[in-house]
C-alpha cells in the first residue's frame, strides 16, 4: 500500500489508535510511578487551563440545543427518513445505558454521599450532616450528571453528523463534524485521521477505565459477600466474564445483542428502583429529589460557571466535563446510528431533558438512601466510603435494606450489564469509524471489543495506578476534542439552514411535479 492510499484509508486511524495504546501500556508497565506522576501533572494542567472554557462550552451547547428544539427547526426529521427504525423505548434505553455505565450504580450511590460529607464550594455555607447538606449534595450530583452533561453527548454533534452522513454522503466519523465549516477537504486527509484518532482514544480511555474498575469493585463486593479474597486472579476472572458478555453482544450486532442488553438494563433498573422506593426511605427519597432538583435549578447558573475553587473543580466538575466531552464525538456517532427518523425536537427532549431527569431521580434513590442512613446513623455509610471507596458505599447502603441476600447481587449484576452495554456500544462506534463500510463487520466489532478488554487487563495487572492514569488521560484528550465540539456551536446552525433550504427545494419540486 502506498503512502497516499494509506492516508486515504481508515488504516491510518487504526494505526494511530493502536500505536497510542501500545505506547501507553509500555510506559505504564515500564515505570508505573513515573508514568502516573506524568499523567497526573498533565491532567492538572489540562483541567486548570481549559476547565473554564469547558464550563462555558457546556452551557452554550445546552442553550443552543434547547433554542433549536423550541424553534421551527425542531420539527425537521433527521437522517432523510420519515419514521424511526426502532421503538422509542429501545431507542432511549440504548442511549441511557450507554452513557450511565458503571456510573449508573457506583457513582450514583457514592457521589451524593461524598458531597454530603464535604459540601461543594457552591454550597459553602451549608452545615455538614444536615438536611440542607443532603439537598446540596444531591443538587451538586445533579449538575455533574444532568442537563449539561447529557446535552454535549448527543444533541448538536448528532445533528451535524447525521446531516453530513445521511444527506451529504460522508462517512460517519468525528471529522465529519468539520464538514459545515470546511467541506469534505478532511475526508481523506491525514488531519482528519488525527481528529478521529483523538476522539477514539478519548472514548476508549473513558470506556476501558470503567471496565477495569468494575473488575476491582466487583472483586471487593465478592469478598464481602462470599469471602472470596479480592486478589488479582479474581479480578481478572471477573474481567474476562464482562469482556465475554459485551464482545458476544458486539459480535451479534446492534439489532440483537445491544438492544437486548439495553432492554435488560432498563427493566432491571426499574425493578430495583421500585424495590428501593418501596422498602427504603420512600418519603425521604421523594422529598429529597424535589428539594434537590429545585435547588439544582436555582443554583444552576452559579454551579455551571463556578471557577474559583480550582482544586475542587479539577477533581470534580472539570474532571466530569473533560470525561463527557471526551466521549462526545463517539457517543454522537452512536446516537446518529440509532436515531434516523427522529425529529430534532425529540432528540433534544430525550437526550438533554428526559434522560437527565431520570438519571437525577436514580441518583436520589441510591445516593439519597445512603444519605438517609448516614443522617440517622452517622458512620453507617461514611466508614465504608473511607475504607473501600465507591464499591464500599454501594454495599453499605444495600446491606441496610431488606432482602440484602437478593438485592446486593442484583445490583452488582446490573452494574455489570451497564458497563457491558457501554463496552458494546463504544466498540461498535470505534468499528464504524475505522471501517471502510458504514456498517462494520462483526469481526471488526469483535476486534475492538476485545482490544478494550485486553488494555483493561494489562493495566489491571500493572496496578490500579494504570487504570487511574487512563481515567485521568481522558481529561487530557478532552483538550483537542473540546475544540472539535466547539465547532458545533457554529456548524449546527449552518447545518440547520442547509437542511431547511433542502426541504424548501424538495417541497418546491414536488409542487411543480404534482401542481
Amino acid at each position: 500500500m502506498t503512502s497516499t492510499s494509506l492516508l486515504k484509508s481508515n488504516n491510518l486511524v487504526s494505526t494511530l489508535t493502536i500505536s497510542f495504546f501500545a505506547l501507553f501500556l509500555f510506559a505504564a508497565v515500564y515505570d508505573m510511578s513515573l508514568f502516573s506522576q506524568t499523567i497526573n501533572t498533565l491532567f492538572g494542567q489540562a483541567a486548570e487551563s481549559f476547565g473554564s472554557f469547558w464550563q462555558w462550552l457546556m452551557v452554550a451547547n445546552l442553550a443552543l440545543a434547547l433554542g433549536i428544539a423550541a424553534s421551527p427547526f425542531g420539527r425537521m426529521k433527521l437522517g432523510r427518513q420519515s419514521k424511526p427504525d426502532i421503538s422509542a423505548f429501545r431507542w432511549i434505553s440504548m442511549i441511557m445505558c450507554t452513557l450511565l455505565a458503571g456510573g449508573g450504580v457506583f457513582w450514583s450511590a457514592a457521589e451524593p454521599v461524598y458531597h454530603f460529607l464535604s459540601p461543594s464550594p457552591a454550597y459553602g455555607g451549608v452545615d455538614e450532616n444536615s438536611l440542607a447538606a443532603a439537598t446540596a449534595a444531591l443538587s451538586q450530583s445533579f449538575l455533574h450528571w444532568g442537563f449539561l452533561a447529557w446535552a454535549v453527548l448527543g444533541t448538536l454533534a448528532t445533528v451535524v453528523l447525521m446531516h453530513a452522513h445521511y444527506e451529504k454522503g460522508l462517512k460517519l466519523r468525528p471529522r465529519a463534524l468539520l464538514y459545515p465549516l470546511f467541506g469534505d477537504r478532511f475526508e481523506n486527509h491525514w488531519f482528519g485521521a488525527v481528529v478521529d484518532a483523538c476522539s477514539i482514544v478519548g472514548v476508549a480511555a473513558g470506556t476501558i477505565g470503567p471496565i477495569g474498575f468494575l473488575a476491582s469493585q466487583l472483586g471487593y463486593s465478592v469478598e464481602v459477600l462470599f469471602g472470596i479474597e479480592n486478589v488479582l486472579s479474581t479480578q481478572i476472572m471477573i474481567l474476562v466474564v464482562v469482556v465475554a458478555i459485551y464482545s458476544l453482544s458486539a459480535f451479534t450486532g446492534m439489532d440483537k445483542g445491544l438492544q437486548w442488553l439495553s432492554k435488560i438494563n432498563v427493566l432491571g433498573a426499574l425493578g430495583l428502583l421500585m424495590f428501593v422506593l418501596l422498602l427504603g426511605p420512600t418519603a425521604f427519597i421523594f422529598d429529597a429529589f424535589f428539594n434537590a432538583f429545585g435547588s439544582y435549578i436555582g443554583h444552576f447558573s452559579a454551579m455551571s460557571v463556578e471557577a474559583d475553587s480550582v482544586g475542587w473543580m479539577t477533581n470534580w466538575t472539570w474532571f466530569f466535563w473533560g470525561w463527557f466531552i471526551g466521549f462526545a464525538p463517539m457517543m454522537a456517532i452512536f446516537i446518529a446510528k440509532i436515531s434516523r427518523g427522529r425529529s430534532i425536537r425529540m432528540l433534544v427532549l430525550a437526550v438533554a431533558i428526559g434522560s437527565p431527569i431520570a438519571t437525577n431521580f436514580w441518583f436520589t434513590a441510591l445516593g439519597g438512601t445512603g444519605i438517609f442512613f448516614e443522617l440517622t446513623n452517622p458512620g453507617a455509610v461514611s466508614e465504608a466510603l473511607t475504607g473501600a471507596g465507591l464499591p464500599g458505599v454501594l454495599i453499605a447502603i444495600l446491606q441496610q435494606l431488606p432482602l440484602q441476600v437478593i438485592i446486593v447481587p442484583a445490583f452488582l449484576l446490573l452494574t455489570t450489564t451497564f458497563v457491558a452495554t457501554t463496552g458494546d456500544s463504544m466498540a461498535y462506534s470505534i468499528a464504524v469509524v475505522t471501517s471502510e463500510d458504514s456498517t462494520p463487520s462483526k469481526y471488526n466489532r469483535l476486534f475492538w471489543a476485545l482490544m478494550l478488554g485486553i488494555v483493561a487487563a494489562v493495566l489491571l495487572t500493572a496496578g490500579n495506578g494504570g487504570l487511574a492514569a487512563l481515567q485521568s488521560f481522558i481529561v487530557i484528550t478532552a483538550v483537542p476534542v473540546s475544540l472539535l465540539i466547539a465547532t458545533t456551536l457554529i456548524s449546527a446552525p449552518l447545518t440547520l439552514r442547509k437542511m431547511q433550504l433542502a426541504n424548501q427545494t424538495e417541497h418546491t419540486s414536488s409542487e411543480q411535479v404534482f401542481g
Side-chain angles (χ1 to χ4, degrees):
M1 178 179 288
T2 65
S3 59
T4 301
S5 61
L6 177 64
L7 291 176
K8 290 183 178 180
S9 71
N10 290 308
N11 288 348
L12 181 57
V13 179
S14 298
T15 300
L16 290 173
T17 304
I18 295 173
S19 298
F20 166 80
F21 280 111
L23 290 173
F24 191 95
L25 293 176
F26 174 78
V29 173
Y30 180 75
D31 190 336
M32 177 59 72
S33 178
L34 177 61
F35 177 69
S36 297
Q37 182 179 355
T38 302
I39 293 296
N40 289 334
T41 299
L42 294 175
F43 163 78
Q45 292 175 348
E48 291 180 22
S49 300
F50 287 84
S52 295
F53 168 68
W54 292 342
Q55 287 178 284
W56 287 105
L57 173 61
M58 302 285 273
V59 171
N61 184 90
L62 174 64
L64 183 56
L66 294 178
I68 290 171
S71 73
F73 289 117
R75 294 194 298 267
M76 291 193 294
K77 296 293 183 70
L78 295 165
R80 298 188 66 84
Q81 191 166 296
S82 59
K83 294 183 179 180
D85 294 321
I86 58 178
S87 68
F89 176 77
R90 289 189 176 184
W91 177 60
I92 295 175
S93 297
M94 294 167 72
I95 291 172
M96 290 199 65
C97 295
T98 297
L99 174 59
L100 282 177
V105 180
F106 283 112
W107 275 111
S108 59
E111 184 177 350
V113 177
Y114 269 109
H115 298 318
F116 173 71
L117 298 173
S118 180
S120 70
Y123 292 92
V126 173
D127 294 331
E128 296 181 9
N129 299 319
S130 65
L131 289 175
T135 298
L138 288 167
S139 178
Q140 186 67 54
S141 300
F142 290 177
L143 176 77
H144 294 155
W145 297 83
F147 301 127
L148 295 171
W150 281 91
V152 80
L153 289 161
T155 54
L156 301 183
T158 300
V159 171
V160 174
L161 285 173
M162 293 188 75
H163 177 262
H165 178 62
Y166 293 112
E167 299 189 32
K168 296 301 180 181
L170 274 70
K171 292 180 179 179
L172 197 55
R173 302 181 291 194
R175 71 182 80 176
L177 289 170
L178 299 173
Y179 173 77
L181 298 176
F182 301 101
D184 61 358
R185 68 180 61 182
F186 296 130
E187 183 69 358
N188 295 306
H189 194 277
W190 65 265
F191 182 76
V194 172
V195 170
D196 292 349
C198 287
S199 299
I200 291 175
V201 168
V203 78
T207 305
I208 293 168
I211 292 172
F213 280 122
L214 175 67
S216 61
Q217 291 163 353
L218 288 183
Y220 165 83
S221 303
V222 168
E223 182 175 21
V224 171
L225 294 176
F226 307 109
I228 300 175
E229 188 176 0
N230 182 24
V231 294
L232 178 61
S233 59
T234 303
Q235 296 175 8
I236 293 296
M237 288 179 63
I238 293 172
L239 180 64
V240 169
V241 172
V242 175
V243 174
I245 292 172
Y246 76 73
S247 295
L248 178 61
S249 178
F251 188 76
T252 57
M254 183 180 292
D255 58 341
K256 295 179 182 178
L258 185 55
Q259 290 194 35
W260 179 83
L261 268 179
S262 300
K263 186 176 181 180
I264 291 296
N265 283 341
V266 170
L267 293 177
L270 288 175
L272 293 173
L273 177 62
M274 292 303 298
F275 180 94
V276 174
L277 290 178
L278 292 175
L279 300 179
T282 308
F284 180 86
I285 291 173
F286 280 100
D287 287 344
F289 173 73
F290 289 113
N291 289 334
F293 195 79
S295 179
Y296 168 43
I297 299 300
H299 291 79
F300 184 81
S301 298
M303 289 192 295
S304 297
V305 298
E306 159 69 32
D308 293 333
S309 305
V310 174
W312 192 93
M313 296 295 292
T314 297
N315 291 325
W316 286 103
T317 304
W318 291 345
F319 167 76
F320 278 120
W321 286 177
W323 194 3
F324 291 130
I325 289 171
F327 255 90
M330 301 301 291
M331 185 68 183
I333 287 174
F334 173 73
I335 296 176
K337 288 292 289 185
I338 64 175
S339 299
R340 294 193 72 182
R342 305 284 176 188
S343 69
I344 294 175
R345 182 169 299 148
M346 179 58 69
L347 175 73
V348 173
L349 288 176
V351 174
I353 302 297
S355 294
I357 293 175
T359 302
N360 292 163
F361 188 76
W362 175 261
F363 267 61
T364 307
L366 285 185
T369 298
I371 291 174
F372 174 81
F373 290 143
E374 186 67 21
L375 275 170
T376 55
N377 183 20
V381 178
S382 58
E383 290 181 3
L385 175 62
T386 302
L390 297 183
V393 173
L394 178 64
I395 297 299
I397 293 172
L398 297 179
Q399 286 183 328
Q400 297 179 67
L401 292 171
L403 301 176
Q404 61 176 275
V405 176
I406 298 175
I407 197 67
V408 174
F411 263 99
L412 297 180
L413 178 61
L414 180 66
T415 306
T416 302
T417 55
F418 263 124
V419 174
T421 303
T422 300
D424 182 356
S425 55
M426 291 302 98
Y428 183 93
S429 296
I430 296 173
V432 168
V433 175
T434 57
S435 174
E436 294 292 342
D437 302 319
S438 58
T439 301
S441 70
K442 56 186 179 182
Y443 296 105
N444 195 1
R445 300 192 302 264
L446 179 62
F447 170 80
W448 287 106
L450 293 175
M451 178 64 68
L452 297 177
I454 291 171
V455 175
V458 174
L459 291 176
L460 191 64
T461 303
N464 285 333
L467 288 172
L470 184 62
Q471 196 87 328
S472 297
F473 193 80
I474 193 174
V475 177
I476 301 171
T477 61
V479 172
V481 174
S482 65
L483 301 178
L484 177 65
I485 293 299
T487 64
T488 62
L489 300 177
I490 301 174
S491 59
L494 293 176
T495 296
L496 293 174
R497 181 57 179 164
K498 291 178 181 178
M499 291 174 64
Q500 184 184 52
L501 293 174
N503 289 342
Q504 290 175 349
T505 302
E506 291 179 3
H507 181 69
T508 301
S509 300
S510 298
E511 288 183 340
Q512 292 174 348
V513 172
F514 298 104

